[in-house]
Amino acid sequence: MSNTPTPETKPTWQKPAYLIGGAIIILLLILGVMAASGAFGGKEQPSPTPAPTAAPPLPTPKPDKPVESAISILAPTNGAVLDISNPVPVKGEGQGLFDGNVVVQAVDADGNVLAEKTTGLKMTREAGATGGVWSVELDVRDVMPGTKGQILAFFTNSKNGDRVAETSIAVTYGEAVEAMINIQEPGNGAALDITHPVTVKGEGQGLFEGNVAVQAVDDNGAVLAETSTTLQGQNIGAGGKGDWSVDLNLQDVVPGTTGKIVAFSTDPKSGDRVAETSVDVTYGQGDVPGPSTLEGPLWALALLNGKQPLEGAPIYALFENGKLSGSAGCNTYSGGYQSDNKNLAVSNVTATRQACAEPAGVMEQESEYLNLLGSAATYSTANGSLTIFDANGNAVLNFKPAVAGELTYKARIALPDTAQVIVTLEDVSKADAAAVMIGQTIMAAPAGPPIPFVVTYNLNDIDATHTYAVRAQINDADGAMLFVSTSSYQVITQGKPSYVEIELSQP
């Protein structure tokens, strides 16, 4: 046996190389754990982020002091003359206004509100949450141009009604328009036909609310007739130009009287006439032929105490040899009279006792007429009309010469509601020439016959040597003839009557 010793057998893990390797591995593990835990001052890894949740809104911070209420007008500018031909735009700013409501007014110099609008603020980024801009349009087109006033803008506290913010600017509503009025008809120096209402026409401009007053005066300045009207046209209330027309009743004026027709407009504040014009006229003709007494024509009532009588209930009177007869609208009447060239006394008037329901008010009118007829004291037949005056000199009844009568027909046919009755008075003297119309009346047809009628005429159109006749017809709404007179009914002259009963036939 050899003397070399045999190496000692050891476990593998006890061998130096393995021990060193294991120690290194363990050290590395320890260092890794320490690094993960931040033992070397490294950045701590964030823990997993939880899912986001909605956060409650932050409360709006309240200002330390309340916002002061304020309002301003940016346009129009102070002292501006506004174009009022269209609605006027008004703009401004405001802040601290309850609900943002702004009231804007156009007022005149007396504080009268001419136009008003309420609007709200439109918030802007520059003004923040408490302010904004506002705008409205004010319609002042009917304001008289040249009127001075103000534009107001304000906010009213809804609790106590106080204005908590207000501003204003001075303005003039449009350029002033010079007041003007003229008379186009009648012409200067005209002799007027006063047997009918006289038409007066003209133009005006720059008149307050377009108001026009028209007077007929005599040479002494006494007012014979007066009426008023307004201009007709566009923008009249704002001083625009327009036309005007009136009718003056001058039938009671003594023919041949001279004077003026005057047209003017008045300032409502001062009462002064701001525009005025006139023309010289003669009221009628002093030598107009007419009956010298009551006897002659049949007289149809034209005015009852200054009023137009009811349609569909003609009233007329016939004076013959001291006997008076006629129709009072519903009932016929008769009586006596005494007269000379001026004075008139009517007596013992009696009437039939029929009651009429149509037209409305006919019985009241009839009673008034008979009472006024009984009050007659004087009369005038000048200028071709008959005027009866009471004891106080008041013109109570005015008549025109006329033909009167009734239309009848035998056919049992109800007339349509739209039917028209046409009665014509004609001069039929010339057999080889067309008849000349002297007068005509057109009226709505009543329920059925008899149908009363009157046709007035001018005495100047009547020649005692000529022949006159009345014809009548009833048409439907389309003008188709339903009934017509087929016989000649002569009237007025050559001993013919002024009252006729006309029988109609179907064509």
Side-chain angles (χ1 to χ4, degrees), residues 17-18 36 94 113 118 124 126 139 179 188 203 215 219 231 256 267 279 500:
Y18 287 103
V113 178
T118 300
T124 63
E126 294 79 4
D139 192 345
N188 192 50
E203 294 178 324
Q215 291 179 337
D219 286 336
L231 297 178
D267 186 315
V279 293
V500 290

Side-chain angles (χ1 to χ4, degrees), residues 211-377:
N211 291 329
V212 177
V214 184
Q215 291 179 337
V217 299
D218 63 17
D219 286 336
N220 297 320
V223 177
L224 307 174
E226 181 175 14
T227 188
S228 60
T229 186
T230 57
L231 297 178
Q232 301 300 309
Q234 294 183 345
N235 298 324
I236 295 304
K241 189 175 183 179
D243 302 321
W244 58 268
S245 176
V246 299
D247 289 334
L248 294 176
N249 184 3
L250 300 164
Q251 295 166 328
D252 294 338
V253 178
V254 176
T257 300
T258 57
K260 295 179 181 293
I261 300 294
V262 183
F264 58 91
S265 188
T266 304
D267 186 315
K269 295 182 179 179
S270 65
D272 296 335
R273 295 185 180 183
V274 297
E276 183 175 4
T277 190
S278 66
V279 293
D280 295 326
V281 295
T282 301
Y283 302 105
Q285 299 176 0
D287 59 351
V288 173
S292 59
T293 67
L294 296 174
E295 299 173 359
L298 180 147
W299 298 104
L301 186 68
L303 292 173
L304 176 71
N305 227 359
K307 303 174 296 184
Q308 298 284 340
L310 297 173
E311 293 185 3
I315 297 174
Y316 51 86
L318 183 63
F319 296 85
E320 289 183 316
N321 301 320
K323 293 182 179 180
L324 171 63
S325 62
S327 172
C330 176
N331 292 283
T332 58
Y333 65 92
S334 61
Y337 69 94
Q338 292 181 328
S339 69
D340 53 26
N341 288 335
K342 179 180 179 180
N343 298 308
L344 173 65
V346 176
S347 60
N348 302 321
V349 175
T350 60
T352 55
R353 304 177 67 85
Q354 182 179 353
C356 297
E358 295 181 350
V362 63
M363 300 309 296
E364 291 79 6
Q365 176 180 265
E366 178 170 289
S367 177
E368 182 181 7
Y369 168 72
L370 294 175
N371 287 335
L372 293 175
L373 191 61
S375 72

Side-chain angles (χ1 to χ4, degrees), residues 423-487:
V423 185
T424 306
L425 171 63
E426 297 173 323
D427 184 338
V428 294
S429 303
K430 298 180 180 180
D432 58 346
V436 178
M437 187 175 72
I438 304 300
Q440 186 179 74
T441 186
I442 300 176
M443 58 184 178
I451 301 171
F453 71 88
V454 293
V455 181
T456 60
Y457 58 88
N458 191 323
L459 282 174
N460 291 333
D461 295 332
I462 302 300
D463 186 328
T465 64
H466 286 202
T467 302
Y468 300 90
V470 176
R471 63 180 177 86
Q473 65 189 62
I474 301 177
N475 297 341
D476 64 15
D478 297 325
M481 189 180 297
L482 302 176
F483 292 94
V484 64
S485 56
T486 56
S487 300

Side-chain angles (χ1 to χ4, degrees), residues 86-135:
N86 293 297
V88 176
V90 184
K91 302 177 181 180
E93 295 178 330
Q95 68 174 13
L97 307 183
F98 179 77
D99 288 339
N101 288 332
V102 177
V103 180
V104 186
Q105 292 179 338
V107 301
D108 62 16
D110 296 324
N112 299 310
V113 178
L114 308 174
E116 179 177 298
K117 284 286 185 68
T118 300
T119 186
L121 290 180
K122 181 180 180 182
M123 301 306 177
T124 63
R125 179 178 301 176
E126 294 79 4
T130 62
V133 297
W134 54 266
S135 65

